[in-house]
Amino acid sequence: MNAPDKLQALLSLTREPFPASTKVYVDGALPGVKVPMREIALTNGERVTVYDTSGPYTDPTAEIDVRKGLAPVRAGWIEARGDTETYVGRQRAALDDGVKNEDLHGDRINALRAEAAGLQRTPRRAKAGQNVSQMHYARQGIVTPEMEYIAIRENGKREWMREYLGDAEREARLKGNAMGARIPEIITPEFVRDEVARGRAVIPANINHPEVEPMIIGRNFLVKINANIGNSAVTSSIEEEVEKLVWSMRWGGDTVMDLSTGRNIHTTRDWIIRNSPVPIGTVPIYQALEKVGGVAEDLTWNIFRDTLIEQAEQGVDYFTIHAGVRLPFIHLTTKRRTGIVSRGGSILAKWMITHHKENFLYTHFDEICEIMKAYDVTFSLGDGLRPGSSADANDEAQFAELRTLGELTKTAWKHDVQTMIEGPGHVPMHLIQANMDEQIKHCDEAPFYTLGPLTIDIAPGYDHIASAIGAAMIGWMGTAMLCYVTPKEHLGLPDRDDVKQGIIAYKIAAHAANNAKGHPGSRARDDAMSKARFEFRWRDQFALGLDPETAESYHDETLPKDSSKEAHFCSMCGPKFCSMKITQDVRDYADKLGVDEQAALAQGMAEKSAEFKAVGGELYIPIHKA
Ligand SMILES: C[C@H]1O[C@@H](n2cnc3c(N)ncnc32)[C@H](O)[C@@H]1O
Ligand SMILES: Cc1ncc(COP(=O)(O)O)c(N)n1
Ligand code: SF4
Ligand SMILES: [Zn+2]
């Protein structure tokens, strides 16, 4: 099998729709606005609709050919705005893929490179004097199709949610604490526009990434999650990375960062972007460093600038730019337990110390803004001085950088360039709130995008859990996007299975945060699950879960028969001790007597307790509380 065929074969594994699910599309008012959602058909006839990040891959009617890439859903919108032009892009160089000579590639890589050449679209940029950022449009009062798309996507199908959550007493009791966020009952396209204009939300959508299904990152919207993928000098291939991309979207990744630092960086990115309906982020300094053979002090503004153009032409939607790592802050890290753990941060620190010069990303920041607005690339202002251990959390180095990121946000906003702020890292639970407060205070509510944070340092192998705890907390407090951590953190490069573990852990954190914030309707899926659980609809429980396959296989480990899917118990308590079954017996008993449950309990107390004593007297007490 040649390389692209191998890739196509790998992807067929991940093309199955989810159990009981179909892809539905909701049309908007603007031309071409067709928003995908996943509809889950339950066995009792109910239908539950959920946010869908999986793209065309879970649509059996979509034609997927990794050689051609996905359909350009945004192309018509971008063209209709009339403010961009196609042009002969930057000439590709062998060095873009980290080799000095084209012939040094192996046959397999050459095949993938040849195919990728066909994938590359003719680049587009803003016409002279134009600014094509969503923030610029928003500030002109323009509601773009991307904004309408997002409004529909964020609302989901509120009808079924309302129906599910119809109980007024329960709603009042569970209404959520938004912790300062202001989430409207219904997200309108105008609200999206206003939040983007204000800088409180970003829509990462490069004009050279027309395949993107628009999404939004902001405190007053659903909490999003990002998955990091990419190769390293030690391991992985283009095929594996494209597979990780599709895999992470399938399990719910809202954006993906390609953090490749090994070979074939340019070609890997071609394959990823052309096959990605989610926004792609990168850290351009990684590729710039490859171009100078890994010698940090040889980096120059020109090489960096060339890399920005290269990646903007390919369609990268957001760039991590570590412009806040300033020369005067480096000495603040010397007493730290773990120094500088950010790759970008450490590279720039090395450059600054060697040349004894200010960070060139800081000194050239306005020029970077000019590039960002010509393609609508969003800033993710990097936290190069984030703490790498609890011991270093919330120290002066971290906060000095954060204040600088606040200054840079204001500069970016002067250019109408969309901006989010990266945050840590390793932060114990009691310091998380202070982190969020400092960010809101200094960065004027620009969206916060945090790596975890990891709440403890002693869980290698389980850092997805150690960090999902912190992620849930900071998501509730106002962080707009949670960057996942996988079980391999601190140990090695994650593979496809680690990606899934990281995503599921972060879906849990993000959903917990959405429910706690009281995001309208967010709780409805929990309610649907609980109802299915109480009614012993096992297949519905699997289908409603974040990971249906695992749920079903765990259930079937002990009770594999089809008939067990109707059983009113599982192997945890068995048929006689199943508390939900016993509760239902009580309810049935009440029904039979033709009285309500409470009256029945009063009436039948003696009778029932005698009956239950046969299986264990204490059981009767928890039932009332259940
Ligand atoms: C900043 C975060 O990025 C992660 N990270 C860095 N490179 C990669 C990669 N190629 N794949 C996955 N995660 C990566 C680190 O583990 C850290 O958590
Ligand atoms: C949330 C977050 N922070 C930082 C980075 C960049 O990585 P690094 O700073 O190590 O170069 C990242 N990818 N995501
Ligand atoms: S994850 Fe590994 S390579 Fe990266 S900073 Fe830590 S020890 Fe170094
Ligand atoms: Zn770490």
Side-chain angles (χ1 to χ4, degrees):
M1 226 191 293
N2 66 30
D5 281 341
K6 199 171 132 207
L7 191 49
Q8 185 82 26
L10 276 173
L11 287 190
S12 67
L13 294 173
T14 55
R15 284 217 54 195
E16 292 282 304
F18 281 94
S21 298
T22 37
K23 171 101 56 185
V24 295
Y25 293 92
V26 178
D27 291 330
L30 297 171
V33 176
K34 204 169 153 257
V35 184
M37 294 181 194
R38 176 177 147 214
E39 192 174 87
I40 308 170
L42 303 185
T43 55
N44 65 354
E46 288 169 3
R47 278 171 191 277
V48 165
T49 311
V50 300
Y51 195 102
D52 184 9
T53 57
S54 62
Y57 295 96
T58 50
D59 182 348
T61 66
E63 200 188 306
I64 305 281
D65 182 346
V66 286
R67 293 174 181 84
K68 294 195 185 124
L70 301 176
V73 290
R74 295 174 61 228
W77 308 337
I78 294 165
E79 207 158 325
R81 289 196 270 262
D83 50 3
T84 58
E85 61 189 8
T86 54
Y87 67 109
V88 181
R90 175 187 167 280
Q91 195 58 40
R92 258 194 71 168
L95 208 53
D96 297 352
D97 270 331
V99 285
K100 298 219 164 59
N101 183 331
E102 303 277 348
D103 301 337
L104 292 179
H105 285 290
D107 286 350
R108 196 178 54 82
I109 295 302
N110 279 328
L112 284 164
R113 288 195 66 200
E115 298 273 356
L119 278 174
Q120 179 68 61
R121 295 176 183 282
T122 307
R124 206 170 254 288
R125 68 180 168 206
K127 287 181 180 162
Q130 302 278 359
N131 179 339
V132 297
S133 80
Q134 293 286 326
M135 184 181 219
H136 186 68
Y137 301 135
R139 287 179 165 185
Q140 317 286 305
I142 299 167
V143 174
T144 61
E146 285 88 344
M147 295 171 196
E148 193 204 15
Y149 189 110
I150 284 163
I152 296 169
R153 200 172 192 188
E154 290 282 320
N155 287 329
K157 288 201 175 165
R158 287 284 166 83
E159 305 79 19
W160 82 265
M161 296 176 193
R162 269 199 218 96
E163 211 173 286
Y164 241 94
L165 301 174
D167 184 314
E169 180 279 328
R170 194 180 286 150
E171 269 307 270
R173 189 158 38 82
L174 295 173
K175 100 177 151 8
N177 175 354
M179 305 280 269
R182 285 187 301 272
I183 307 163
E185 194 48 44
I186 292 287
I187 307 280
T188 60
E190 170 56 23
F191 180 76
V192 174
R193 187 203 61 74
D194 195 56
E195 290 287 293
V196 173
R198 165 74 180 72
R200 206 155 35 208
V202 297
I203 301 173
N206 184 326
I207 54 169
N208 289 315
H209 192 184
E211 301 88 351
V212 150
E213 295 177 349
M215 55 79 71
I216 195 159
I217 302 165
R219 186 184 180 196
N220 295 324
F221 298 92
L222 290 163
V223 176
K224 304 303 189 296
I225 65 171
N226 168 71
N228 289 333
I229 63 168
N231 68 9
S232 75
V234 180
T235 182
S236 199
S237 63
I238 295 177
E239 295 94 319
E240 284 167 278
E241 292 310 320
V242 175
E243 202 194 12
K244 282 187 210 168
L245 162 80
V246 177
W247 201 232
S248 65
M249 299 182 304
R250 178 177 180 82
W251 298 110
D254 292 288
T255 76
V256 164
M257 290 195 84
D258 174 8
L259 298 180
S260 292
T261 52
R263 296 283 289 274
N264 308 309
I265 290 187
H266 183 103
T267 303
T268 305
R269 200 184 304 119
D270 268 341
W271 282 98
I272 288 178
I273 296 176
R274 297 283 77 82
N275 288 294
S276 175
V278 304
I280 298 296
T282 61
V283 186
I285 198 96
Y286 298 173
Q287 190 185 7
L289 186 70
E290 280 296 301
K291 290 182 185 175
V292 294
V295 183
E297 41 292 20
D298 290 353
L299 281 167
T300 61
W301 161 244
N302 271 337
I303 288 167
F304 185 78
R305 186 182 179 284
D306 174 64
T307 309
L308 289 185
I309 303 282
E310 172 188 347
Q311 298 198 10
E313 286 181 355
Q314 279 183 296
V316 174
D317 302 287
Y318 63 94
F319 284 158
T320 293
I321 303 282
H322 297 87
V325 189
R326 294 199 53 193
L327 182 60
F329 305 155
I330 305 301
H331 79 275
L332 298 171
T333 64
T334 52
K335 288 212 191 77
R336 277 181 158 188
R337 175 66 70 192
T338 47
I340 300 177
V341 296
S342 152
R343 288 205 300 228
S346 62
I347 294 163
L348 287 157
K350 193 164 176 225
W351 186 91
M352 285 186 273
I353 297 293
T354 319
H355 298 287
H356 206 80
K357 274 200 190 137
E358 185 54 275
N359 181 346
F360 61 84
L361 302 178
Y362 184 80
T363 55
H364 289 273
F365 195 72
D366 280 299
E367 286 157 89
I368 301 176
C369 291
E370 294 295 338
I371 297 170
M372 305 299 263
K373 66 194 192 198
Y375 301 91
D376 196 10
V377 184
T378 297
F379 271 121
S380 183
L381 295 177
D383 53 342
L385 298 179
R386 68 172 174 273
S389 52
S390 294
D392 298 339
N394 293 18
D395 70 355
E396 184 49 22
Q398 186 197 334
F399 283 160
E401 179 188 50
L402 183 59
R403 290 190 295 271
T404 309
L405 298 185
E407 275 171 42
L408 294 168
T409 302
K410 290 188 181 70
T411 307
W413 285 353
K414 273 193 205 131
H415 291 270
D416 292 353
V417 172
Q418 307 192 81
T419 303
M420 53 185 175
I421 311 291
E422 284 177 12
H426 290 248
V427 187
M429 293 203 315
H430 59 293
L431 298 187
I432 290 179
Q433 180 78 65
N435 241 279
M436 191 69 231
D437 292 347
E438 284 291 295
Q439 194 271 343
I440 290 177
K441 183 167 147 206
H442 295 290
C443 303
D444 209 3
E445 295 187 276
F448 204 21
Y449 167 32
T450 60
L451 176 67
L454 292 92
T455 50
I456 57 169
D457 303 332
I458 60 164
Y462 298 88
D463 274 332
H464 58 314
I465 300 175
S467 66
I469 293 169
M473 289 179 68
I474 208 160
W476 180 18
M477 292 167 187
T479 288
M481 183 155 78
L482 308 170
C483 179
Y484 84 177
V485 169
T486 74
K488 291 276 168 66
E489 184 74 6
H490 305 113
L491 301 171
L493 193 77
D495 64 18
R496 181 183 119 148
D497 292 335
D498 303 315
V499 166
K500 178 176 169 187
Q501 292 303 316
I503 293 270
I504 299 287
Y506 275 67
K507 283 301 281 181
I508 294 170
H511 189 67
N514 288 328
N515 286 359
K517 287 169 83 174
H519 197 99
S522 173
R523 260 194 54 245
R525 185 171 172 183
D526 300 76
D527 240 38
M529 174 69 89
S530 305
K531 188 161 173 245
R533 192 168 274 152
F534 195 67
E535 292 171 2
F536 296 100
R537 283 183 276 116
W538 291 103
R539 289 186 205 284
D540 292 348
Q541 293 177 61
F542 307 147
L544 283 164
L546 293 175
D547 179 358
E549 286 160 30
T550 301
E552 182 164 1
S553 79
Y554 282 7
H555 173 270
D556 289 5
E557 257 174 42
T558 47
L559 293 170
K561 285 195 198 131
D562 257 8
S563 59
S564 302
K565 303 286 192 310
E566 316 296 325
H568 284 206
F569 64 91
C570 75
S571 65
M572 175 70 87
C573 311
K576 292 226 179 335
F577 282 80
C578 176
S579 51
M580 293 202 297
K581 159 88 167 69
I582 297 168
T583 307
Q584 281 178 355
D585 286 347
V586 172
R587 288 188 174 181
D588 291 346
Y589 176 73
D591 262 1
K592 208 173 69 197
L593 288 182
V595 291
D596 71 26
E597 201 174 333
Q598 273 175 353
L601 286 173
Q603 219 177 329
M605 189 76 82
E607 191 184 329
K608 271 315 243 189
S609 66
E611 199 179 298
F612 280 116
K613 265 181 199 139
V615 288
E618 276 154 34
L619 254 186
Y620 206 54
I621 300 154
I623 302 162
H624 295 287
K625 290 187 182 155

